[in-house]
Amino acid sequence: MPARLVSIINMKGGVGKSTTAVSLAETLAVHQRKRVLLIDLDPQTNASIMLAGPEKWNELREAERTLDFYFEAYALQQKPKPFKSLVETRVSDLKGKPDVALCAAAPEFRIVERDMIESFVKRGFHIDAIQKWICERFAQGLRGVVNEMDVILIDCPPGISLFAEAALIAADAIIVPTIPDYVSRLGLITFRRRALRLINERRGGPSMLFVVATKYDDSMSLHRSEAGLLKENLGEAMFDVRIPQHVDIAKAAEWSSSQRTFEQKYGEMAPIVRRLGEEFLSKITASPVL
């Protein structure tokens, strides 16, 4: 059975998007025995370094096994390496090396996207044609790995880039991590409308869109009320699990050169991260709710 493809995105940065993607990948592999691939589309490369560590990440860059090299070859009208060759397996620092694989990003990815668009515009392509081209190449790459995984998570960059749009269009489900405050809720409403419209226009069918509260502080009345409003407005599209603002979440994002158990890595947050994985599976295997 092909993997379920899930894009993790928010127009805002600093909402814990990459941390959510990595912790979700690890709990699915450890507790649900899933084969998970995380594709890092964010030039900030946070997820890549969290999962693989700085040394392995540098090795991937030097070996030209990052996504910028893959798409740059297409843009230069050269034949790229097979997408599958970008996949680095068993990248987690957890004991037992759970089945978590990575397609890494690099900071140059932002430049590649800009240069690619400039090149296509000079050759007379309209933006819709460029978007279609990126979607087709992205889908072509995914076909080489989709049958070897159970879940593919895509950590998208903040905002809406052409690559982020391609990830949204390809996705079976979308997860939007958000801080439960007033400004974030307004931004979420805007993004949700655009994302759903884009999917319906380009993909021609529904995709599931879910929201998870991150950096949640139960001692703040604002967080409690805003999280409650989100649940009231979104219903089953809102995760019941809330990811707290907690030092153990921050520590888990730091690569360890010595392997550790899931409980050692996530500390007091281990049960919450495990519940996140359980609720994730229950939602993406259900019928579309939006």
Side-chain angles (χ1 to χ4, degrees):
M1 182 177 179
R4 300 303 296 270
L5 183 63
V6 180
S7 292
I8 302 174
I9 190 169
N10 192 315
M11 292 188 71
K12 291 184 64 178
V15 299
K17 176 179 57 61
S18 296
T19 304
T20 300
V22 170
S23 59
L24 189 53
E26 291 188 325
T27 190
L28 289 172
V30 172
H31 297 116
Q32 308 298 328
R33 298 293 187 269
K34 299 299 182 183
R35 299 168 298 170
V36 184
L37 170 63
L38 195 153
I39 299 175
D40 191 358
L41 281 183
D42 190 343
Q44 295 179 90
T45 73
N46 292 331
S48 297
I49 295 175
M50 286 180 203
L51 266 183
E55 290 186 12
K56 175 58 70 176
W57 176 68
N58 271 322
E59 288 177 16
L60 293 170
R61 289 181 73 190
E62 291 173 2
E64 300 186 357
R65 292 177 58 204
T66 50
L67 285 163
D68 53 306
F69 285 104
Y70 178 79
F71 282 103
E72 184 179 42
Y74 272 125
L76 296 174
Q77 298 181 326
Q78 299 172 355
K79 185 177 180 180
K81 294 180 179 181
F83 188 87
K84 188 176 179 179
S85 71
L86 305 183
V87 176
E88 181 69 15
T89 61
R90 309 284 180 177
V91 291
S92 174
D93 62 1
L94 291 173
K95 283 186 177 179
K97 286 291 184 181
D99 204 343
V100 180
L102 171 70
C103 280
E108 292 80 8
F109 197 23
R110 184 180 286 110
I111 299 171
V112 167
E113 181 178 24
R114 184 199 65 194
D115 291 348
M116 181 185 297
I117 293 171
E118 181 180 354
S119 172
F120 277 116
V121 169
K122 287 181 177 178
R123 287 152 56 188
F125 285 78
H126 294 291
I127 195 70
D128 285 347
I130 301 172
Q131 175 68 84
K132 182 180 178 182
W133 183 93
I134 291 174
C135 286
E136 288 174 349
R137 299 304 176 276
F138 192 53
Q140 181 179 329
L142 289 172
R143 282 195 289 272
V145 297
V146 72
N147 290 315
E148 298 180 8
M149 301 291 166
D150 298 309
V151 178
I152 297 176
L153 303 175
I154 304 177
D155 186 23
C156 299
I160 294 292
S161 68
L162 292 182
F163 281 102
E165 288 191 357
L168 290 179
I169 293 166
D172 299 305
I174 298 160
I175 293 181
V176 185
T178 186
I179 300 171
D181 58 32
Y182 178 70
V183 174
S184 296
R185 181 163 57 87
L186 292 181
L188 174 64
I189 292 169
T190 302
F191 169 74
R192 180 170 171 263
R193 287 172 181 164
R194 169 155 175 78
L196 291 174
R197 183 173 68 250
L198 175 71
I199 292 163
N200 287 330
E201 289 175 356
R202 302 285 176 85
R203 182 174 174 171
S207 182
M208 296 180 279
L209 191 152
F210 302 104
V211 177
V212 59
T214 54
K215 299 191 175 182
Y216 176 74
D217 188 343
D218 194 55
S219 68
M220 293 179 61
S221 60
L222 173 64
H223 279 203
R224 294 197 305 271
S225 62
E226 289 294 329
L229 282 172
L230 285 170
K231 182 65 177 177
E232 182 180 326
N233 292 332
L234 297 176
E236 290 301 312
M238 183 73 190
F239 272 70
D240 291 323
V241 173
R242 299 170 183 176
I243 309 301
Q245 175 82 296
H246 197 281
V247 65
D248 285 351
I249 292 290
K251 286 182 178 179
E254 298 174 1
W255 170 262
S256 173
S257 56
S258 57
Q259 293 184 1
R260 47 194 170 163
T261 66
F262 187 88
E263 288 69 26
Q264 288 171 333
K265 180 168 185 173
Y266 288 95
E268 293 181 24
M269 295 296 99
I272 291 175
V273 175
R274 181 169 185 166
R275 291 205 304 273
L276 174 68
E278 293 168 351
E279 187 171 4
F280 169 88
L281 282 183
S282 71
K283 288 187 179 301
I284 68 163
T285 55
S287 299
V289 296
L290 292 177

